[in-house]
Amino acid sequence: MDRHIPFDALRNFRDLGGYPTPDGTHRVRPGRLYRSDSLGKLSEGTADWDRFLSLGVGTVIDLRHPWEIERSGRVPEHASLTYHHLSIEHRPYNQAALTPDIEPGPYLAERFMEVAEDGVKEIREALETIADSARRGTPVVFHCASGKDRTGEIAALVLALLGIDEATITEDFSLTELATGALLADWRTRNGGASPTWPGFGRAPAAIMRLFLAALKERYGSVEAYVTDALGMDATSLAATLREALLEPRPTAHPALTYRKATEADAPLLVRLRDTAALWQLARGIDQWKPGEKDEAHFVRRMREGEVWLAYAGNTLTGAWELWWTDEAAWGPRPADAGYIHRLMTTPHTAPPGTGQAMLAQAESRITATGRPHARLDCLSTNPRLRAYYESAGYRVVGEQPGKTDGGGSPYAVTLLEKQLS
């Protein structure tokens, strides 16, 4: 599931549904809670407008300053929509004009704390509005200009009250990184082709949300205590209302996985899937992948030199992997006795349980079909969690490669794992 719902004009419209509670028993209901960049980009009579109305949204919360609405417009009026203007930021600042020496994490975390304390009236009303809409079963969307900071702060508070863990809240914030390129392109178009002076403009590194949540807890003890002490709300009652309306049991039955070989037209999809998986890792402190490391050309090359496969649960993409027939960078010159599995990746939170193991088995069956007796793969030597995962699937450690390089940066150490195929 790609959380970004595609629009022609909107860049960062996302469904918050599907995030699991820490005990794994429930998830946020899909199609009920949305976050977005400015809905002032929508126009009546367009495909975007029809797509937006088809979501059944009944409540719109606009978090921008009045002058932003005056300059860029608001969501069109419609009989099905109730519009709330709640400007939660009281000290405006120009991110694009910041100097390059300003570190995004500490700087924006401090701005988030300012909003949390300046905007108590508006934040309280936003949470009340979301709870009321949830109680009535009305889908709600809240938005600011880019759908990143003010929107991210409200999303964090709501997800925390729903009981979603901090790593997932941080991950949700960082998913704006998938829209950064489009947001930057729009800014340049509005500003005659110029670029922001601040390299952090439009970026959403995990450190911002991580630092903000830590600061909020240091000052108040917890999100619930902030809601009680700063907002003057009954946090227990509010959380109960939100959970009753917006959580549902996680599915226990899933469609059987199906597989197809990727084509070059799938390269953008593969880039997005990998970057999404990288953001999931970074939010959890896993040092494995970084967004933007592999472009479309990488996946096209892997298709031409080997194979790339996609996995689906019903019609929904749920994962992918690469299959190579040689890997001298990690394993050195070898006879044609193995297939090399790379970039095994699943869709965070929405892939059916066991998807990774099922994809491994499918890759191994493809290797066996070619007559090769071994499946091989590697993982960063600094990632014991991934090593343990592969060992649980029957792979055994057979060596270390201390200086692997893929041509994209400095050499790095990997653990080599192998499985004998029947």
Side-chain angles (χ1 to χ4, degrees):
M1 171 181 170
D2 189 335
R3 297 193 173 278
H4 282 84
I5 296 175
F7 287 86
D8 294 328
L10 303 180
R11 309 303 188 187
N12 204 13
F13 193 106
R14 289 190 254 144
D15 190 344
L16 290 170
Y19 286 133
T21 55
D23 62 6
T25 61
H26 289 74
R27 68 175 187 177
V28 180
R29 293 179 186 273
R32 296 286 294 278
L33 193 60
Y34 298 100
R35 53 177 294 171
S36 182
D37 49 327
S38 172
L39 298 185
K41 303 172 187 175
L42 294 174
S43 300
E44 294 177 280
T46 63
D48 270 3
W49 184 237
D50 292 341
R51 189 175 298 116
F52 175 74
L53 292 179
S54 73
L55 298 174
V57 171
T59 302
V60 174
I61 301 173
D62 190 337
L63 304 172
R64 295 173 299 162
H65 294 283
W67 56 265
E68 291 178 284
I69 298 171
E70 174 108 12
R71 182 185 65 189
S72 304
R74 49 152 283 185
V75 67
E77 293 187 18
H78 192 270
S80 66
L81 297 177
T82 301
Y83 175 78
H84 302 263
H85 176 217
L86 300 169
S87 180
I88 66 173
E89 183 181 83
H90 292 194
R91 289 181 253 184
Y93 58 101
N94 185 355
Q95 284 194 24
L98 296 175
T99 54
D101 60 299
I102 294 177
E103 186 68 26
Y107 179 81
L108 288 180
E110 188 174 337
R111 302 289 79 72
F112 282 25
M113 281 301 296
E114 286 179 356
V115 169
E117 299 189 326
D118 292 348
V120 290
K121 176 179 178 294
E122 293 84 0
I123 292 173
R124 179 170 57 247
E125 190 170 343
L127 294 179
E128 289 172 344
T129 301
I130 291 169
D132 181 61
S133 296
R135 191 185 301 111
R136 291 184 286 107
T138 302
V140 58
V141 57
F142 48 93
H143 76 90
C144 55
S146 296
K148 178 171 77 77
D149 298 328
R150 289 164 286 184
T151 297
E153 191 158 339
I154 294 298
L157 296 176
V158 173
L159 290 174
L161 290 167
L162 287 171
I164 305 304
D165 64 274
E166 287 190 11
T168 301
I169 293 170
T170 300
E171 174 196 353
D172 176 72
F173 174 76
S174 71
L175 284 175
T176 287
E177 292 276 310
L178 300 179
T180 295
L183 293 170
L184 273 171
D186 286 352
W187 191 93
R188 292 186 180 110
T189 298
R190 294 193 305 269
N191 290 273
S195 293
T197 59
W198 193 42
F201 180 80
R203 301 292 310 278
I208 298 171
M209 183 54 65
R210 196 176 287 124
L211 289 170
F212 165 63
L213 292 174
L216 198 70
K217 286 204 293 185
E218 181 179 359
R219 190 163 301 178
Y220 294 98
S222 66
V223 169
E224 290 78 8
Y226 163 74
V227 169
T228 298
D229 298 340
L231 303 186
M233 304 176 74
D234 183 338
T236 301
S237 175
L238 176 61
T241 297
L242 292 171
R243 294 179 188 192
E244 174 68 24
L246 293 176
L247 294 182
E248 66 179 11
R250 292 187 77 180
T252 55
H254 304 275
L257 295 183
T258 58
Y259 307 95
R260 71 171 177 86
K261 191 182 291 187
T263 67
E264 293 186 9
D266 295 311
L269 181 67
L270 288 158
V271 171
R272 195 168 184 88
L273 177 57
R274 186 190 180 280
D275 286 350
T276 301
L279 292 169
W280 181 94
Q281 293 172 3
L282 289 172
R284 288 156 181 80
I286 300 172
D287 183 17
Q288 182 77 21
W289 293 349
K290 306 293 188 301
E293 287 177 324
K294 303 299 178 186
D295 59 11
E296 293 179 24
H298 163 85
F299 288 103
V300 170
R301 183 171 64 255
R302 297 271 55 100
M303 292 174 207
R304 292 173 179 174
E305 296 177 0
E307 299 176 357
V308 180
W309 287 82
L310 301 173
Y312 288 84
N315 295 321
T316 302
L317 178 69
T318 195
W321 72 91
E322 299 174 9
L323 191 54
W324 303 7
W325 304 123
T326 62
D327 186 5
E328 292 195 15
W331 294 83
R334 295 274 182 145
D337 64 346
Y340 300 83
I341 302 168
H342 285 273
R343 264 164 287 286
L344 186 82
M345 46 193 177
T346 62
T347 53
H349 310 297
T350 57
T355 293
Q357 297 277 2
M359 293 194 304
L360 269 179
Q362 185 69 17
E364 292 161 5
S365 70
R366 173 64 187 143
I367 295 169
T368 300
T370 68
R372 293 171 170 84
H374 301 288
R376 295 184 181 131
L377 46 79
D378 65 72
C379 67
L380 282 179
S381 298
T382 54
N383 193 343
R385 177 176 173 179
L386 185 57
R387 168 180 165 169
Y389 176 82
Y390 288 132
E391 288 179 318
S392 72
Y395 287 79
R396 63 185 182 90
V397 175
V398 296
E400 296 283 332
Q401 167 55 272
K404 181 179 178 181
T405 178
D406 59 6
S410 302
Y412 51 95
V414 296
T415 300
L416 305 176
L417 298 102
E418 181 180 87
K419 184 176 183 178
Q420 177 77 36
L421 304 178
S422 58

